[in-house]
Short mmCIF file of all heavy atoms in Angstrom, two decimals:
data_model
loop_
_atom_site.label_atom_id
_atom_site.label_comp_id
_atom_site.label_asym_id
_atom_site.label_seq_id
_atom_site.Cartn_x
_atom_site.Cartn_y
_atom_site.Cartn_z
N MET A 1 -34.15 6.06 78.63
CA MET A 1 -35.45 5.50 78.95
C MET A 1 -35.33 4.72 80.23
O MET A 1 -34.33 4.07 80.48
CB MET A 1 -35.88 4.60 77.81
CG MET A 1 -36.82 3.54 78.29
SD MET A 1 -38.22 3.24 77.34
CE MET A 1 -39.08 2.18 78.44
N GLN A 2 -36.35 4.75 81.04
CA GLN A 2 -36.39 3.93 82.24
C GLN A 2 -37.56 2.97 82.14
O GLN A 2 -38.62 3.33 81.67
CB GLN A 2 -36.57 4.79 83.48
CG GLN A 2 -35.38 5.66 83.78
CD GLN A 2 -35.57 6.42 85.07
OE1 GLN A 2 -36.69 6.64 85.52
NE2 GLN A 2 -34.49 6.84 85.66
N VAL A 3 -37.32 1.74 82.57
CA VAL A 3 -38.39 0.77 82.67
C VAL A 3 -38.83 0.78 84.12
O VAL A 3 -38.03 0.52 85.02
CB VAL A 3 -37.92 -0.64 82.26
CG1 VAL A 3 -39.02 -1.66 82.47
CG2 VAL A 3 -37.47 -0.64 80.82
N VAL A 4 -40.09 1.11 84.40
CA VAL A 4 -40.57 1.26 85.76
C VAL A 4 -41.55 0.15 86.08
O VAL A 4 -42.51 -0.07 85.34
CB VAL A 4 -41.26 2.63 85.96
CG1 VAL A 4 -41.74 2.77 87.38
CG2 VAL A 4 -40.30 3.75 85.60
N GLN A 5 -41.29 -0.57 87.15
CA GLN A 5 -42.22 -1.57 87.65
C GLN A 5 -42.65 -1.13 89.04
O GLN A 5 -42.47 0.02 89.41
CB GLN A 5 -41.57 -2.95 87.65
CG GLN A 5 -41.25 -3.41 86.24
CD GLN A 5 -40.63 -4.78 86.19
OE1 GLN A 5 -40.33 -5.37 87.20
NE2 GLN A 5 -40.43 -5.28 85.00
N ASP A 6 -43.20 -2.03 89.82
CA ASP A 6 -43.75 -1.62 91.11
C ASP A 6 -42.72 -1.41 92.21
O ASP A 6 -43.04 -0.85 93.23
CB ASP A 6 -44.81 -2.63 91.57
CG ASP A 6 -44.26 -4.04 91.70
OD1 ASP A 6 -43.16 -4.30 91.17
OD2 ASP A 6 -44.93 -4.88 92.31
N LEU A 7 -41.48 -1.79 92.01
CA LEU A 7 -40.45 -1.62 93.03
C LEU A 7 -39.38 -0.66 92.53
O LEU A 7 -38.97 -0.74 91.37
CB LEU A 7 -39.79 -2.96 93.34
CG LEU A 7 -40.72 -4.04 93.91
CD1 LEU A 7 -39.97 -5.36 94.02
CD2 LEU A 7 -41.24 -3.62 95.26
N PRO A 8 -38.89 0.25 93.38
CA PRO A 8 -37.84 1.17 92.95
C PRO A 8 -36.61 0.44 92.42
O PRO A 8 -35.92 0.94 91.55
CB PRO A 8 -37.51 1.96 94.22
CG PRO A 8 -38.74 1.87 95.04
CD PRO A 8 -39.35 0.52 94.72
N SER A 9 -36.34 -0.77 92.91
CA SER A 9 -35.17 -1.52 92.44
C SER A 9 -35.36 -2.03 91.01
O SER A 9 -34.44 -2.55 90.41
CB SER A 9 -34.89 -2.69 93.38
OG SER A 9 -35.98 -3.59 93.37
N ARG A 10 -36.56 -1.90 90.45
CA ARG A 10 -36.84 -2.37 89.10
C ARG A 10 -36.74 -1.25 88.05
O ARG A 10 -37.08 -1.45 86.91
CB ARG A 10 -38.25 -2.97 89.02
CG ARG A 10 -38.48 -4.11 89.95
CD ARG A 10 -37.79 -5.32 89.43
NE ARG A 10 -38.12 -6.44 90.29
CZ ARG A 10 -37.73 -7.66 90.10
NH1 ARG A 10 -36.97 -7.95 89.08
NH2 ARG A 10 -38.08 -8.61 90.92
N ILE A 11 -36.28 -0.06 88.45
CA ILE A 11 -36.10 1.03 87.50
C ILE A 11 -34.75 0.84 86.82
O ILE A 11 -33.73 0.74 87.47
CB ILE A 11 -36.16 2.40 88.20
CG1 ILE A 11 -37.55 2.61 88.79
CG2 ILE A 11 -35.80 3.52 87.23
CD1 ILE A 11 -37.67 3.87 89.63
N MET A 12 -34.76 0.77 85.49
CA MET A 12 -33.54 0.55 84.72
C MET A 12 -33.45 1.58 83.60
O MET A 12 -34.47 2.02 83.08
CB MET A 12 -33.54 -0.86 84.15
CG MET A 12 -33.54 -1.94 85.22
SD MET A 12 -33.74 -3.59 84.53
CE MET A 12 -35.52 -3.63 84.31
N THR A 13 -32.24 1.94 83.23
CA THR A 13 -32.01 2.91 82.17
C THR A 13 -31.50 2.18 80.92
O THR A 13 -30.62 1.34 81.02
CB THR A 13 -30.98 3.96 82.62
OG1 THR A 13 -31.47 4.59 83.80
CG2 THR A 13 -30.75 5.00 81.56
N PHE A 14 -32.07 2.52 79.76
CA PHE A 14 -31.68 1.92 78.48
C PHE A 14 -31.49 3.02 77.44
O PHE A 14 -32.15 4.04 77.49
CB PHE A 14 -32.78 0.98 77.97
CG PHE A 14 -32.98 -0.25 78.80
CD1 PHE A 14 -33.95 -0.28 79.78
CD2 PHE A 14 -32.20 -1.37 78.60
CE1 PHE A 14 -34.14 -1.41 80.56
CE2 PHE A 14 -32.38 -2.51 79.37
CZ PHE A 14 -33.35 -2.53 80.35
N PRO A 15 -30.63 2.78 76.43
CA PRO A 15 -30.55 3.73 75.34
C PRO A 15 -31.83 3.69 74.50
O PRO A 15 -32.44 2.64 74.35
CB PRO A 15 -29.34 3.26 74.53
CG PRO A 15 -29.12 1.84 74.92
CD PRO A 15 -29.70 1.68 76.30
N VAL A 16 -32.22 4.83 73.96
CA VAL A 16 -33.46 4.95 73.19
C VAL A 16 -33.16 5.57 71.84
O VAL A 16 -32.34 6.48 71.73
CB VAL A 16 -34.48 5.85 73.94
CG1 VAL A 16 -35.67 6.21 73.08
CG2 VAL A 16 -34.94 5.16 75.21
N SER A 17 -33.85 5.09 70.81
CA SER A 17 -33.77 5.70 69.49
C SER A 17 -35.17 6.02 69.01
O SER A 17 -36.03 5.15 68.97
CB SER A 17 -33.09 4.78 68.48
OG SER A 17 -33.17 5.34 67.18
N GLY A 18 -35.38 7.26 68.64
CA GLY A 18 -36.64 7.65 68.04
C GLY A 18 -36.52 7.79 66.54
O GLY A 18 -37.42 8.30 65.89
N ALA A 19 -35.38 7.34 65.98
CA ALA A 19 -35.11 7.43 64.54
C ALA A 19 -35.30 8.86 64.03
O ALA A 19 -35.91 9.09 62.99
CB ALA A 19 -35.97 6.46 63.77
N GLY A 20 -34.81 9.84 64.80
CA GLY A 20 -34.88 11.22 64.38
C GLY A 20 -36.16 11.94 64.75
O GLY A 20 -36.36 13.09 64.38
N THR A 21 -37.05 11.28 65.47
CA THR A 21 -38.30 11.92 65.90
C THR A 21 -38.39 11.92 67.42
O THR A 21 -37.73 11.14 68.09
CB THR A 21 -39.54 11.20 65.33
OG1 THR A 21 -39.56 9.85 65.82
CG2 THR A 21 -39.52 11.18 63.81
N ASN A 22 -39.23 12.78 67.95
CA ASN A 22 -39.45 12.83 69.39
C ASN A 22 -40.27 11.63 69.83
O ASN A 22 -41.14 11.15 69.10
CB ASN A 22 -40.18 14.11 69.77
CG ASN A 22 -39.38 15.34 69.43
OD1 ASN A 22 -38.15 15.31 69.42
ND2 ASN A 22 -40.05 16.43 69.14
N VAL A 23 -40.00 11.14 71.05
CA VAL A 23 -40.77 10.05 71.63
C VAL A 23 -41.46 10.60 72.88
O VAL A 23 -40.79 10.97 73.84
CB VAL A 23 -39.87 8.85 72.00
CG1 VAL A 23 -40.69 7.72 72.58
CG2 VAL A 23 -39.07 8.37 70.79
N PRO A 24 -42.79 10.68 72.88
CA PRO A 24 -43.50 11.28 74.02
C PRO A 24 -43.57 10.36 75.23
O PRO A 24 -43.42 9.13 75.12
CB PRO A 24 -44.89 11.56 73.47
CG PRO A 24 -45.06 10.62 72.33
CD PRO A 24 -43.69 10.35 71.78
N ILE A 25 -43.84 10.96 76.38
CA ILE A 25 -44.07 10.21 77.61
C ILE A 25 -45.25 9.27 77.40
O ILE A 25 -46.24 9.63 76.78
CB ILE A 25 -44.35 11.18 78.78
CG1 ILE A 25 -43.12 12.03 79.06
CG2 ILE A 25 -44.79 10.45 80.03
CD1 ILE A 25 -43.37 13.18 80.01
N GLY A 26 -45.13 8.06 77.91
CA GLY A 26 -46.22 7.08 77.81
C GLY A 26 -46.13 6.16 76.62
O GLY A 26 -46.93 5.24 76.48
N THR A 27 -45.13 6.37 75.74
CA THR A 27 -44.97 5.51 74.57
C THR A 27 -44.51 4.12 75.00
O THR A 27 -43.58 3.99 75.79
CB THR A 27 -43.93 6.11 73.60
OG1 THR A 27 -44.37 7.39 73.19
CG2 THR A 27 -43.71 5.22 72.39
N LEU A 28 -45.16 3.07 74.47
CA LEU A 28 -44.69 1.71 74.71
C LEU A 28 -43.42 1.50 73.91
O LEU A 28 -43.34 1.85 72.73
CB LEU A 28 -45.75 0.69 74.28
CG LEU A 28 -47.02 0.66 75.11
CD1 LEU A 28 -48.00 -0.35 74.52
CD2 LEU A 28 -46.72 0.31 76.55
N MET A 29 -42.40 0.92 74.55
CA MET A 29 -41.11 0.72 73.91
C MET A 29 -40.82 -0.76 73.75
O MET A 29 -41.22 -1.58 74.58
CB MET A 29 -40.01 1.38 74.76
CG MET A 29 -40.23 2.87 75.01
SD MET A 29 -40.28 3.88 73.52
CE MET A 29 -38.56 3.81 73.02
N MET A 30 -40.12 -1.09 72.65
CA MET A 30 -39.73 -2.47 72.38
C MET A 30 -38.26 -2.50 72.00
O MET A 30 -37.67 -1.46 71.68
CB MET A 30 -40.57 -3.05 71.24
CG MET A 30 -40.41 -2.30 69.92
SD MET A 30 -41.42 -2.97 68.60
CE MET A 30 -40.17 -3.75 67.62
N ALA A 31 -37.67 -3.67 72.04
CA ALA A 31 -36.27 -3.80 71.63
C ALA A 31 -36.14 -3.61 70.13
O ALA A 31 -36.97 -4.11 69.37
CB ALA A 31 -35.75 -5.18 72.03
N GLY A 32 -35.11 -2.89 69.69
CA GLY A 32 -34.86 -2.72 68.27
C GLY A 32 -34.48 -4.04 67.62
O GLY A 32 -33.85 -4.89 68.24
N VAL A 33 -34.89 -4.24 66.38
CA VAL A 33 -34.68 -5.53 65.71
C VAL A 33 -33.97 -5.40 64.36
O VAL A 33 -33.75 -6.41 63.69
CB VAL A 33 -36.03 -6.27 65.50
CG1 VAL A 33 -36.65 -6.63 66.83
CG2 VAL A 33 -36.99 -5.43 64.68
N THR A 34 -33.60 -4.21 63.95
CA THR A 34 -32.99 -4.02 62.64
C THR A 34 -31.48 -3.89 62.76
O THR A 34 -30.98 -2.99 63.43
CB THR A 34 -33.56 -2.75 61.96
OG1 THR A 34 -34.98 -2.85 61.93
CG2 THR A 34 -33.02 -2.59 60.55
N GLY A 35 -30.76 -4.79 62.12
CA GLY A 35 -29.30 -4.75 62.15
C GLY A 35 -28.76 -3.45 61.62
O GLY A 35 -29.32 -2.84 60.71
N ASP A 36 -27.66 -2.98 62.18
CA ASP A 36 -26.96 -1.75 61.78
C ASP A 36 -27.72 -0.46 62.06
O ASP A 36 -27.24 0.62 61.72
CB ASP A 36 -26.57 -1.78 60.29
CG ASP A 36 -25.57 -2.88 59.97
OD1 ASP A 36 -24.78 -3.25 60.86
OD2 ASP A 36 -25.60 -3.37 58.83
N THR A 37 -28.95 -0.53 62.62
CA THR A 37 -29.65 0.72 62.92
C THR A 37 -30.14 0.79 64.35
O THR A 37 -29.96 1.81 65.00
CB THR A 37 -30.85 0.96 61.98
OG1 THR A 37 -31.75 -0.15 62.10
CG2 THR A 37 -30.40 1.11 60.54
N ASN A 38 -30.80 -0.26 64.86
CA ASN A 38 -31.37 -0.10 66.20
C ASN A 38 -31.26 -1.32 67.12
O ASN A 38 -31.91 -1.34 68.15
CB ASN A 38 -32.82 0.37 66.11
CG ASN A 38 -33.72 -0.63 65.41
OD1 ASN A 38 -33.43 -1.81 65.33
ND2 ASN A 38 -34.83 -0.15 64.88
N ILE A 39 -30.46 -2.30 66.77
CA ILE A 39 -30.23 -3.41 67.71
C ILE A 39 -29.46 -2.86 68.90
O ILE A 39 -28.49 -2.12 68.73
CB ILE A 39 -29.50 -4.58 67.04
CG1 ILE A 39 -30.45 -5.29 66.07
CG2 ILE A 39 -28.95 -5.56 68.07
CD1 ILE A 39 -29.87 -6.48 65.36
N GLY A 40 -29.88 -3.18 70.10
CA GLY A 40 -29.22 -2.70 71.30
C GLY A 40 -29.86 -1.47 71.91
O GLY A 40 -29.39 -0.97 72.92
N VAL A 41 -30.92 -0.95 71.30
CA VAL A 41 -31.63 0.19 71.85
C VAL A 41 -33.12 -0.10 71.88
O VAL A 41 -33.59 -1.04 71.22
CB VAL A 41 -31.37 1.49 71.05
CG1 VAL A 41 -29.90 1.85 71.04
CG2 VAL A 41 -31.89 1.37 69.63
N LEU A 42 -33.86 0.69 72.63
CA LEU A 42 -35.31 0.57 72.63
C LEU A 42 -35.89 1.55 71.63
O LEU A 42 -35.39 2.67 71.48
CB LEU A 42 -35.87 0.85 74.03
CG LEU A 42 -35.47 -0.14 75.11
CD1 LEU A 42 -36.12 0.25 76.44
CD2 LEU A 42 -35.83 -1.56 74.74
N ILE A 43 -36.95 1.13 70.94
CA ILE A 43 -37.62 1.95 69.94
C ILE A 43 -39.12 1.94 70.24
O ILE A 43 -39.61 1.03 70.91
CB ILE A 43 -37.35 1.44 68.51
CG1 ILE A 43 -37.88 0.01 68.33
CG2 ILE A 43 -35.86 1.54 68.17
CD1 ILE A 43 -37.81 -0.52 66.91
N PRO A 44 -39.86 2.92 69.75
CA PRO A 44 -41.31 2.92 69.97
C PRO A 44 -41.96 1.69 69.32
O PRO A 44 -41.66 1.35 68.17
CB PRO A 44 -41.78 4.20 69.28
CG PRO A 44 -40.59 5.09 69.26
CD PRO A 44 -39.42 4.17 69.09
N ALA A 45 -42.84 1.03 70.06
CA ALA A 45 -43.62 -0.07 69.51
C ALA A 45 -44.73 0.53 68.65
O ALA A 45 -45.25 1.60 68.94
CB ALA A 45 -44.21 -0.92 70.63
N THR A 46 -45.07 -0.16 67.57
CA THR A 46 -46.12 0.33 66.69
C THR A 46 -47.28 -0.66 66.67
O THR A 46 -47.16 -1.78 67.15
CB THR A 46 -45.61 0.50 65.25
OG1 THR A 46 -45.28 -0.80 64.72
CG2 THR A 46 -44.39 1.40 65.19
N ALA A 47 -48.38 -0.25 66.10
CA ALA A 47 -49.56 -1.11 66.01
C ALA A 47 -49.28 -2.34 65.15
O ALA A 47 -49.93 -3.36 65.30
CB ALA A 47 -50.74 -0.33 65.45
N THR A 48 -48.30 -2.26 64.26
CA THR A 48 -48.01 -3.38 63.36
C THR A 48 -46.84 -4.24 63.83
O THR A 48 -46.56 -5.26 63.23
CB THR A 48 -47.70 -2.87 61.94
OG1 THR A 48 -46.59 -1.98 62.00
CG2 THR A 48 -48.92 -2.17 61.35
N SER A 49 -46.14 -3.81 64.90
CA SER A 49 -45.01 -4.62 65.37
C SER A 49 -45.52 -5.83 66.13
O SER A 49 -46.54 -5.79 66.80
CB SER A 49 -44.08 -3.79 66.26
OG SER A 49 -44.75 -3.37 67.43
N ASN A 50 -44.80 -6.93 65.99
CA ASN A 50 -45.22 -8.15 66.69
C ASN A 50 -44.35 -8.43 67.91
O ASN A 50 -44.48 -9.48 68.52
CB ASN A 50 -45.23 -9.35 65.74
CG ASN A 50 -43.87 -9.59 65.11
OD1 ASN A 50 -42.90 -8.93 65.43
ND2 ASN A 50 -43.81 -10.55 64.20
N ALA A 51 -43.47 -7.50 68.26
CA ALA A 51 -42.64 -7.67 69.44
C ALA A 51 -43.39 -7.21 70.69
O ALA A 51 -44.27 -6.36 70.61
CB ALA A 51 -41.35 -6.86 69.30
N GLN A 52 -43.04 -7.77 71.81
CA GLN A 52 -43.68 -7.37 73.07
C GLN A 52 -42.98 -6.13 73.62
O GLN A 52 -41.78 -5.98 73.50
CB GLN A 52 -43.58 -8.49 74.09
CG GLN A 52 -44.37 -9.71 73.71
CD GLN A 52 -44.32 -10.78 74.78
OE1 GLN A 52 -43.70 -10.60 75.82
NE2 GLN A 52 -44.95 -11.90 74.52
N ALA A 53 -43.78 -5.24 74.20
CA ALA A 53 -43.23 -4.04 74.82
C ALA A 53 -42.43 -4.42 76.06
O ALA A 53 -42.79 -5.35 76.77
CB ALA A 53 -44.35 -3.08 75.20
N VAL A 54 -41.35 -3.69 76.30
CA VAL A 54 -40.53 -3.96 77.47
C VAL A 54 -40.57 -2.82 78.47
O VAL A 54 -40.04 -2.93 79.56
CB VAL A 54 -39.06 -4.25 77.09
CG1 VAL A 54 -38.97 -5.52 76.26
CG2 VAL A 54 -38.43 -3.08 76.37
N GLY A 55 -41.21 -1.70 78.11
CA GLY A 55 -41.28 -0.58 79.03
C GLY A 55 -42.11 0.55 78.48
O GLY A 55 -42.62 0.48 77.37
N ILE A 56 -42.25 1.58 79.30
CA ILE A 56 -43.03 2.77 78.96
C ILE A 56 -42.15 3.98 79.22
O ILE A 56 -41.51 4.08 80.27
CB ILE A 56 -44.32 2.86 79.81
CG1 ILE A 56 -45.19 1.64 79.55
CG2 ILE A 56 -45.07 4.15 79.50
CD1 ILE A 56 -46.39 1.55 80.47
N MET A 57 -42.11 4.91 78.27
CA MET A 57 -41.31 6.13 78.45
C MET A 57 -41.85 6.92 79.64
O MET A 57 -43.06 7.15 79.74
CB MET A 57 -41.38 7.01 77.21
CG MET A 57 -40.62 6.49 76.01
SD MET A 57 -38.84 6.42 76.24
CE MET A 57 -38.41 8.15 76.21
N VAL A 58 -40.95 7.34 80.52
CA VAL A 58 -41.36 8.13 81.68
C VAL A 58 -40.86 9.57 81.61
O VAL A 58 -41.12 10.36 82.49
CB VAL A 58 -40.91 7.47 83.01
CG1 VAL A 58 -41.60 6.14 83.21
CG2 VAL A 58 -39.41 7.33 83.08
N GLU A 59 -40.11 9.88 80.54
CA GLU A 59 -39.68 11.25 80.31
C GLU A 59 -39.57 11.47 78.82
O GLU A 59 -39.50 10.54 78.04
CB GLU A 59 -38.34 11.53 80.99
CG GLU A 59 -37.21 10.64 80.53
CD GLU A 59 -35.95 10.83 81.34
OE1 GLU A 59 -36.04 11.01 82.55
OE2 GLU A 59 -34.87 10.78 80.74
N LYS A 60 -39.59 12.74 78.38
CA LYS A 60 -39.52 13.06 76.96
C LYS A 60 -38.18 12.63 76.37
O LYS A 60 -37.14 12.75 77.02
CB LYS A 60 -39.65 14.56 76.73
CG LYS A 60 -40.99 15.13 77.03
CD LYS A 60 -40.95 16.61 76.69
CE LYS A 60 -41.88 17.38 77.55
NZ LYS A 60 -41.78 18.82 77.32
N HIS A 61 -38.20 12.14 75.16
CA HIS A 61 -36.98 11.88 74.38
C HIS A 61 -37.05 12.83 73.19
O HIS A 61 -37.88 12.66 72.30
CB HIS A 61 -36.91 10.42 73.91
CG HIS A 61 -35.76 10.14 73.01
ND1 HIS A 61 -34.49 10.01 73.49
CD2 HIS A 61 -35.68 9.96 71.68
CE1 HIS A 61 -33.67 9.77 72.48
NE2 HIS A 61 -34.37 9.73 71.37
N ILE A 62 -36.21 13.85 73.21
CA ILE A 62 -36.24 14.88 72.19
C ILE A 62 -35.19 14.57 71.12
O ILE A 62 -34.02 14.34 71.45
CB ILE A 62 -35.96 16.28 72.79
CG1 ILE A 62 -36.93 16.57 73.94
CG2 ILE A 62 -36.02 17.35 71.70
CD1 ILE A 62 -38.39 16.57 73.56
N ALA A 63 -35.60 14.55 69.85
CA ALA A 63 -34.66 14.33 68.76
C ALA A 63 -33.67 15.49 68.73
O ALA A 63 -34.07 16.65 68.78
CB ALA A 63 -35.40 14.21 67.44
N ALA A 64 -32.40 15.19 68.64
CA ALA A 64 -31.36 16.22 68.67
C ALA A 64 -31.56 17.24 67.55
O ALA A 64 -31.76 16.86 66.41
CB ALA A 64 -29.99 15.58 68.54
N GLY A 65 -31.55 18.49 67.91
CA GLY A 65 -31.63 19.56 66.93
C GLY A 65 -33.03 19.84 66.37
O GLY A 65 -33.19 20.71 65.55
N SER A 66 -34.04 19.08 66.83
CA SER A 66 -35.37 19.30 66.26
C SER A 66 -36.03 20.55 66.82
O SER A 66 -36.85 21.18 66.15
CB SER A 66 -36.27 18.09 66.52
OG SER A 66 -36.65 18.04 67.89
N GLY A 67 -35.72 20.87 68.08
CA GLY A 67 -36.34 22.02 68.71
C GLY A 67 -37.79 21.81 69.08
O GLY A 67 -38.44 22.70 69.58
N VAL A 68 -38.31 20.62 68.86
CA VAL A 68 -39.71 20.32 69.17
C VAL A 68 -39.78 19.63 70.52
O VAL A 68 -38.96 18.77 70.82
CB VAL A 68 -40.32 19.40 68.08
CG1 VAL A 68 -41.76 19.07 68.42
CG2 VAL A 68 -40.21 20.06 66.74
N THR A 69 -40.75 20.01 71.33
CA THR A 69 -40.90 19.35 72.63
C THR A 69 -42.22 18.63 72.71
O THR A 69 -43.10 18.87 71.93
CB THR A 69 -40.80 20.36 73.79
OG1 THR A 69 -41.83 21.33 73.63
CG2 THR A 69 -39.43 20.98 73.83
#
């Protein structure tokens, strides 16, 4: 995942987890908060999460072996 702001120097790469599902372009991403599963990676923000988004997906994240795009 890349976090894109208005300057090219603000593009950063982070590990992403979709928990076995595809994450489409444009998804708001937040820091993972669950111990032993997603701390240290970005996960899709949901309507019920109270964490602030830290970025927006700029490319597809395809779940390994799913074959879905």
Side-chain angles (χ1 to χ4, degrees):
M1 154 135 189
Q2 292 184 338
V3 176
V4 180
Q5 295 181 355
D6 58 345
L7 299 173
S9 63
R10 301 285 185 177
I11 296 174
M12 297 173 279
T13 302
F14 293 95
V16 169
S17 173
T21 61
N22 298 332
V23 181
I25 295 169
T27 301
L28 292 177
M29 303 299 289
M30 61 181 253
V33 296
T34 306
D36 296 331
T37 58
N38 62 23
I39 288 181
V41 299
L42 295 181
I43 61 173
T46 66
T48 59
S49 63
N50 58 5
Q52 294 184 1
V54 296
I56 299 172
M57 288 294 289
V58 296
E59 59 187 38
K60 292 182 209 175
H61 175 76
I62 305 300
S66 73
V68 179
T69 59

